[in-house]
Structures are given as structure tokens and as C-alpha cells.
Amino acid sequence: MNFKLSSDSWRIACITGILFWVCTSCAAQTDDSQPVILEEYSRIESAARGEISGIVKSRKHENVFWVHGDSGNQPKIFLIYKNGLIASDDNANGIELDDIDNIDWEDITVDDSGNLIVADIGNNCFCRENLSFLIFPEPDIDEEMLFEYQRIRIEYPEKLKFLGLAGTNSPDAEAVFYADGAIYLLTKEKNGIDTQLYKLETRDESTVNTLIPVSSFTFDDKVTASDFSEDGQSLAVLTSSSVWFFTDFTGDNFFTGTSQKFLFRANQVESVAFSGEQSLIIAEEEGQLYEVLLSDFK
């Protein structure tokens, strides 16, 4: 017996098939992108974990990391082991930068001369104009005070419109890294929409140095930290709910190569660093430490 569908029945069947395919596809995509609950492997020792907002692997000392806190903490950096313990046996109180405030230290990086660069760039109120980078050679483990450092004042090239009015307010930012002779900065945009990448090529202490716009990228959440690999081949960018891994780029076109991301669930993650062991170390504000293998990226 021949069975013939009416035109209306054909339309219903086709729509049903399409909806089934779409839903099946969406379900598969959702399954592949389910966030992983990060499991803490250790915690930074109490003396060094005052609202952790920056971490970077040392280039001078083996298998240790520099960390610091953000606004409200003393202007100090601490050297810790991967397990979170303070590396110095003689100085558990950190190394203080003399005669300067921690207005809002948000990240730390290392240049190709072995200098640490602390980014005093936090601007939650959109009201700061005294943004700066603090630059100094990596200290010894047991030093207690740093008297010699550069304070490089910076500004954004454009006026930020706030509430529809042109003003001098600067965007908020929490992420910096160093690559190919320049310091790079990523802005912290609401929901990660159109995060702006800037670079600084000058270090003139006598004036305010203007950042140069490079590009933009749409992340899935607010950018809170970044790090560049020692071999110059990879960039990691941390958001509040993911970490992105960029490779195969040319020059400072970091976002035009291969990009992979790792979705997670955690509390307030503020810091990321390459471990030198094919993994990334992520630190929460309260000092919890997590490790993400580079092989986990998809």
C-alpha cells in the first residue's frame, strides 16, 4: 500500500527533523564544553596569600614563583614553591618595595633582561589616572627591602566615555605579559566582550608613557590575568571562568593563530603562570592553587 504525506505533513516532518538535528548538535556541544570543577592541589602559605592577584615563574631561581597581593596589601612580593610554601627560610615576610603604595597591583611578569614588572593598573572605579608599571631586577631569595626600581607611568591613548560623557577615566585592567621587547596589557571588560590589547614600547620615567592599541578579542568572561611562555610560543589568558591558550601566531597578532580554551568552575581566580612543566598554575585570590595540563585544552 502506498502512503503519501500531505504538503502540511511534509513540512511538519521536515521541521521536526531539523529541530531534532539542532537539538542533538546543541546537546553534543554542551557536553563537550561542560566546565570542570577545579580541584585545589595546595594553598599558598598564609603570610604570602593576601588577596593574591599575580603569579609568574622566576627566571633567576629554579622551580619557584613570584606572587603578590592587590589593593589593601603591603607593597610586597613573595617567592614561593609550586606547593605554595614560601621559598625563603630566613624571610617569611616578603620583599617590600620602599616608599611606594600598593594602590591596586593586579599582575606580574618578567622581561627578557630578567626584570620583574609589577602592574599597578587596577581601576575598578574607572577613576584612576596614576597607573604605572614597577620594574626591577629579580631580587635574591632572602632580601627584605628593594630601594631601586623604575616607576613607569602609563596612560591610554583615547578618552573613555563614561555615562555618555567624554572624560579622562581609564578602563580597568588586570592582565599583563611581556613579549618581543614590549609590555602588553589586556583590559577587563564586562563579560569579556571586546577586550582590548595594548602594548608599551617606552620606559621614560620623566613623563607619562602612552600605550599603543594592538588588537581586540572577545573572551567569554572578564580577563583577570595572563602569562607568556618562556619559549615565546604560547600565550595564556585567564578569565573568571576559563583559561585560553594561544599558539601559532606571528608577531603580536596573538589572537589570529590557534586558540583553545579550558572551561572551569572556581571562586575568584586572579592569577595564571606557565609552570615550565607543560601545565599552567592558577591561583585564587585566597591562595588556593590549581594546575591545568596543556594537554587538557580543546
Side-chain angles (χ1 to χ4, degrees), residues 206-244:
S206 65
T207 188
V208 179
N209 299 259
T210 302
L211 297 167
I212 301 170
V214 178
S215 62
S216 65
F217 190 80
T218 300
F219 291 94
D220 53 351
D221 211 333
K222 298 176 182 178
V223 172
T224 62
S226 59
D227 194 25
F228 202 68
S229 62
E230 287 189 58
D231 63 10
Q233 302 299 310
S234 308
L235 170 65
V237 178
L238 180 71
T239 79
S240 298
S241 57
S242 63
V243 58
W244 293 67

Side-chain angles (χ1 to χ4, degrees), residues 262-292:
F262 180 86
L263 294 171
F264 59 76
R265 289 179 183 171
N267 291 325
Q268 194 164 343
V269 289
E270 298 255 336
S271 312
V272 65
F274 284 94
S275 70
E277 302 172 352
Q278 294 299 304
S279 68
L280 293 169
I281 305 301
I282 296 174
E284 278 188 357
E285 188 178 56
E286 295 184 354
Q288 293 89 339
L289 292 172
Y290 308 97
E291 186 169 25
V292 175

Side-chain angles (χ1 to χ4, degrees), residues 54-97:
I55 183 171
V56 71
K57 190 174 186 295
S58 171
R59 306 297 195 262
K60 181 178 180 179
H61 312 289
E62 292 186 3
N63 303 316
V64 286
F65 299 81
W66 292 103
V67 297
H68 64 77
D70 61 12
S71 59
N73 286 277
Q74 293 181 307
K76 291 183 175 183
I77 58 173
F78 293 83
L79 195 62
I80 65 168
Y81 295 111
K82 184 179 175 181
N83 63 7
L85 294 178
I86 294 174
S88 173
D89 294 328
D90 299 322
N91 178 23
N93 296 316
I95 302 172
E96 183 173 350
L97 274 66

Side-chain angles (χ1 to χ4, degrees), residues 4-283:
K4 184 176 182 180
L5 288 174
S6 67
S7 59
D8 289 340
S9 298
W10 272 113
R11 283 195 293 270
I12 292 172
C14 289
I15 291 172
T16 302
I18 291 171
L19 289 175
F20 176 79
W21 178 84
V22 169
C23 291
T24 302
S25 175
C26 290
Q29 184 178 13
T30 301
D31 290 341
D32 290 340
S33 60
Q34 285 296 317
V36 174
I37 298 175
L38 292 182
E39 295 185 5
E40 171 188 342
Y41 74 82
S42 190
R43 193 179 184 194
I44 295 174
E45 196 171 345
S46 59
R49 65 168 181 248
E51 296 186 36
I52 295 298
S53 61
I55 183 171
V56 71
K57 190 174 186 295
S58 171
R59 306 297 195 262
K60 181 178 180 179
H61 312 289
E62 292 186 3
N63 303 316
V64 286
F65 299 81
W66 292 103
V67 297
H68 64 77
D70 61 12
S71 59
N73 286 277
Q74 293 181 307
K76 291 183 175 183
I77 58 173
F78 293 83
L79 195 62
I80 65 168
Y81 295 111
K82 184 179 175 181
N83 63 7
L85 294 178
I86 294 174
S88 173
D89 294 328
D90 299 322
N91 178 23
N93 296 316
I95 302 172
E96 183 173 350
L97 274 66
D98 180 58
D99 194 30
I100 200 162
D101 294 323
N102 180 345
I103 299 175
D104 200 354
W105 293 7
E106 288 293 355
D107 207 355
I108 185 171
T109 188
V110 184
D111 69 16
D112 54 13
S113 297
N115 295 305
L116 293 177
I117 303 171
V118 175
D120 189 357
I121 57 173
N123 189 22
N124 292 325
C125 65
F126 299 99
C127 59
R128 286 188 64 187
E129 295 183 14
N130 57 343
L131 309 173
S132 63
F133 293 127
L134 307 173
I135 305 174
F136 48 91
E138 273 203 61
D140 293 329
I141 291 177
D142 296 323
E143 286 190 53
E144 296 182 1
M145 186 73 72
L146 289 176
F147 297 96
E148 301 293 333
Y149 54 84
Q150 289 182 291
R151 180 172 180 260
I152 307 300
R153 294 174 294 159
I154 62 171
E155 65 180 1
Y156 292 88
E158 68 277 349
K159 302 292 185 181
L160 177 70
K161 287 187 176 180
F162 186 64
L163 298 179
L165 301 174
T168 58
N169 299 315
S170 301
D172 191 16
E174 296 187 1
V176 299
F177 63 93
Y178 180 89
D180 298 327
I183 304 170
Y184 289 85
L185 176 153
L186 283 160
T187 60
K188 182 182 180 182
E189 303 293 339
K190 184 177 181 180
N191 298 324
I193 301 301
D194 293 333
T195 292
Q196 303 298 311
L197 176 68
Y198 296 89
K199 68 178 177 181
L200 184 70
E201 295 182 331
T202 59
R203 297 186 183 184
D204 189 344
E205 291 185 86
S206 65
T207 188
V208 179
N209 299 259
T210 302
L211 297 167
I212 301 170
V214 178
S215 62
S216 65
F217 190 80
T218 300
F219 291 94
D220 53 351
D221 211 333
K222 298 176 182 178
V223 172
T224 62
S226 59
D227 194 25
F228 202 68
S229 62
E230 287 189 58
D231 63 10
Q233 302 299 310
S234 308
L235 170 65
V237 178
L238 180 71
T239 79
S240 298
S241 57
S242 63
V243 58
W244 293 67
F245 185 58
F246 297 93
T247 55
D248 304 322
F249 44 76
T250 302
D252 58 11
N253 299 309
F254 302 110
F255 307 132
T256 59
T258 301
S259 66
Q260 300 169 289
K261 69 177 178 178
F262 180 86
L263 294 171
F264 59 76
R265 289 179 183 171
N267 291 325
Q268 194 164 343
V269 289
E270 298 255 336
S271 312
V272 65
F274 284 94
S275 70
E277 302 172 352
Q278 294 299 304
S279 68
L280 293 169
I281 305 301
I282 296 174

